[in-house]
Amino acid sequence: MIVGLFAAGILLGIVFRHRLRLIRTASHASDVCVFFLLFILGVSIGRNETVIRNLASMGVAAALLTIGAVLGSLGLCYLIHRFFFAPRS
Amino acid sequence: MTFSLCILGFFAAGIAAGLFGVVPEAWSADDLALIALYVLLVFVGMGVGSDSRSLSHILKVRGKVVLVPLGIAVGSLMGAGVVALFLPGLNFREGMAVGAGFGYYSLSSILISQMHSQDLGVIALLSNIIREVITLVGVSLFIRLGPLGPIASGGATAMDTTLPLISRYIPGEYTVIAVFSGLVLSLLVPLLIPMIL
């Protein structure tokens, strides 16, 4: 479903690539979708009592785990880009 | 930066609205989010499709592109696993499971709370939400590590929720890599978490 919609979007983009105003409108509309998605995300957190009650202690552990995961990914991707993607000079 | 602040503002407003019951209970947040996500995917696809160079580029880097989600997966599992060693009540394996959400908080938290415990499920939910927020707020910082930086931080979310912002910073041809990487990582979530736990 997700891949199908994305592929459909790409096809629409190819078909309408010379309609600049339409492409720009699509870009603004995607920003609105992001705002909406994050609002909805906040609503589901705010409604979840378990999460709100233990937010502090679990939040600290979660934040530290995330920092570890993000740093690990950033480090490996930096190396991958450097050795496989960066143009040879 | 204004865009990131707007995002944080909407996120905070959402939490407040959820807490104080401003939004009618009848609204199923999941259904609405899913519809918004589908609409978003079409718009983002249009952005990629209208940039003809980005499509031709993926054919050239086909082999190397596989390394991106692979590196993100290994880096996330190891990074979160090592941090868990220093946290009370968590072990390496539990840390890896949380890291294996790659930002896909809905699926990973459900899997973990069913296969392991509710507590770790909540930590997974928070951690993977934080991953999305870190990516949105830190994109201008991560881009300094190269065009793969924001894609690495985004993990599975690089194909949907963080893509519109990421694609403003990375070169056009890397947008397809972001989607490919996010897609592979999303598919890995339901495979890796049962393997780890």
Side-chain angles (χ1 to χ4, degrees), chain A residues 12-34:
Chain A
L12 283 173
I14 293 171
V15 171
F16 294 112
R17 68 181 177 279
H18 299 303
R19 304 272 302 272
L20 283 182
R21 206 198 293 164
L22 186 79
I23 297 298
R24 218 173 294 138
T25 308
S27 152
H28 288 313
S30 73
D31 288 352
V32 173
C33 284
V34 173

Side-chain angles (χ1 to χ4, degrees), chain A residues 39 42-43 45-47 52, chain B residues 9-23:
Chain A
F39 180 78
V43 169
I45 290 177
R47 276 178 182 173
I52 291 297
Chain B
F10 274 90
F11 181 63
I15 293 180
L19 262 177
F20 300 115
V22 176
V23 180

Side-chain angles (χ1 to χ4, degrees), chain B residues 127-140:
Chain B
S127 167
N128 287 290
I129 288 171
I130 292 169
R131 182 160 188 162
E132 189 173 309
V133 176
I134 283 180
T135 304
L136 293 170
V137 176
V139 60
S140 54

Side-chain angles (χ1 to χ4, degrees), chain B residues 35-58:
Chain B
I35 294 165
L37 196 58
Y38 288 163
V39 174
L40 177 65
L41 279 167
V42 175
F43 287 140
V44 173
M46 283 179 73
V48 177
S50 61
D51 183 0
S52 47
R53 282 176 312 161
S54 60
L55 286 174
S56 60
H57 193 86
I58 196 164

Side-chain angles (χ1 to χ4, degrees), chain A residues 70 73-74, chain B residues 72 76 101-104 128 131-136 139 142 148-163 166 178 181-182 185-186:
Chain A
V70 169
S73 307
L74 283 173
Chain B
I72 296 170
S76 298
F102 309 126
Y104 197 165
N128 287 290
R131 182 160 188 162
E132 189 173 309
V133 176
I134 283 180
T135 304
L136 293 170
V139 60
F142 302 143
L148 292 180
I151 299 173
S153 171
T157 71
M159 74 178 286
D160 42 52
T161 46
T162 61
L163 183 60
I166 288 178
S181 167
L185 290 168
S186 301

Side-chain angles (χ1 to χ4, degrees), chain A residues 61-76, chain B residues 70-87 90-102 127 131 196:
Chain A
L64 293 173
L65 288 171
T66 315
I67 289 169
V70 169
L71 287 182
S73 307
L74 283 173
L76 278 184
Chain B
L70 205 71
I72 296 170
V74 174
S76 298
L77 265 60
M78 293 302 125
V82 169
V83 168
L85 293 175
F86 298 94
L87 292 174
L90 286 178
N91 60 35
F92 189 74
R93 188 180 279 243
E94 289 167 333
M96 284 206 302
V98 173
F102 309 126
S127 167
R131 182 160 188 162
I196 294 166

